[in-house]
Amino acid sequence: MAGLIDMSNTNVAKYGVVGNPISHSKSPAIHQAFALQTQQDMCYKPFLVSVDGFEQAIADFISSGVSGVNVTVPFKEKAWAIATKLSKCAELAGAVNTLSFKDGDIFGDNTDGLGLVNDLKNNYGFDFEGKTVLVLGAGGAVRGVLGPIIQENPASITIANRTLSKAEQLKQVFAKDYSISTSGFSDLDTRFDLIINGTSASLNNELPPIPEVVVGSHSVLYDMMYSNQTTTFNQWGQALNAGNTIDGLGMLVEQAAEAFYIWRAIRPATHEVFAKLRSQ
Ligand code: NDP
């Protein structure tokens, strides 16, 4: 029956999410909801894999007929390395969050960036075209979202990071596609239309030390972290009367929808799933 989770049933397509830790992951609930909604005969389970056991786990999945897995911390770079074919987005991201196993190949994709872009465009009506974008942070998450943001043709992209050299490295990675500006936090001196917090500062209830001048009454603030309370970054934006403050729960749901589409060639509706997660 569509959507029932039974890995021993050989008649359903098998998927999962691989990480360490994994018990906190919302991906099984999201994909189960998508499977029921779209009547797909599939199952999706969380898999806890030891930090040095990723490659063996993938080999075991393939031999046991698993069709694909999502990959989360700390395996996204290992998934990139193990893939035999990469999407352009994943290639530039240097990390993979969606693996598909087919005809002896391991296809690697990265749907995090499209997840963020789709959340902003489809759920909040944000049009990137001609907008000024400030991205805070230069870690794995930021590298993953830059490609899809560039595709949306914003007027400018500025990366500001605590360690400036990491922002410079990212600028070089995307140099063929877009001329990104870089900055230290304290050197920022203009307003931006969109400010994306891709630092992990919010995880510790900290704020990247950026000047208030970057926030105007029209600015949209997007914290890639999500929480059942307003994140520290978004509290800061609200205190400055920013135009809107959004957290990364929608990005999580939208990146899952993209992965589901890659695997099943059917695009699930995301609103209900998002609303259910938000209410929990
Ligand atoms: P990384 O560890 O790869 O990078 C962390 C970044 O944060 C670095 O740029 C680091 O700067 C910066 N940073 C850390 N602490 C501070 C601080 N106190 N002040 C200023 N900058 C700081 O992490 P990820 O890129 O993997 O993750 C970043 C965030 O994105 C996390 O909050 C994560 O939860 C979120 N995320 C959300 C997703 C979603 O679906 N919603 C998907 C993926 C990630 P430096 O280079 O100087 O060390």
Side-chain angles (χ1 to χ4, degrees), residues 95-267:
V96 155
N97 77 340
T98 304
L99 288 173
S100 313
F101 312 126
K102 204 176 169 197
D103 302 331
D105 265 315
I106 302 176
F107 294 90
D109 216 317
N110 190 318
T111 64
D112 283 335
L114 216 44
L116 177 142
V117 165
N118 285 351
D119 189 31
L120 273 161
K121 277 172 66 176
N122 303 339
N123 301 329
Y124 297 94
F126 185 85
D127 181 4
F128 284 79
E129 179 103 34
K131 300 291 195 318
T132 55
V133 180
L134 171 62
V135 183
L136 307 172
V142 166
R143 186 165 169 176
V145 301
L146 283 171
I149 292 174
I150 288 169
Q151 290 293 315
E152 294 299 315
N153 203 23
S156 68
I157 300 175
T158 303
I159 303 176
N161 194 42
R162 186 172 58 182
T163 311
L164 188 57
S165 59
K166 288 196 196 163
E168 301 284 355
Q169 280 168 19
L170 282 193
K171 176 189 166 103
Q172 293 311 321
V173 169
F174 292 90
K176 268 193 200 153
D177 297 310
Y178 199 91
S179 179
I180 293 174
S181 304
T182 57
S183 174
F185 288 139
S186 58
D187 300 325
L188 295 165
D189 59 3
T190 53
R191 281 190 188 152
F192 290 87
D193 298 317
L194 174 65
I195 306 172
I196 297 169
N197 182 20
T199 73
S200 44
S202 282
L203 294 172
N204 302 317
N205 295 321
E206 289 170 14
L207 195 62
I210 53 170
E212 294 179 356
V213 68
V214 297
V215 179
S217 57
H218 70 288
S219 303
V220 173
L221 270 61
Y222 195 102
D223 198 342
M224 284 172 62
M225 194 194 106
Y226 53 86
S227 164
N228 50 11
Q229 282 155 4
T230 307
T231 67
T232 306
F233 180 71
N234 285 348
Q235 283 175 26
W236 177 75
Q238 288 170 10
L240 294 172
N241 295 315
N244 202 357
T245 56
I246 303 164
D247 78 5
L249 185 64
M251 173 178 171
L252 178 77
V253 176
E254 297 297 336
Q255 65 76 26
E258 282 304 314
F260 194 90
Y261 179 70
I262 288 169
W263 291 330
R264 308 301 302 171
I266 187 165
R267 199 173 289 281

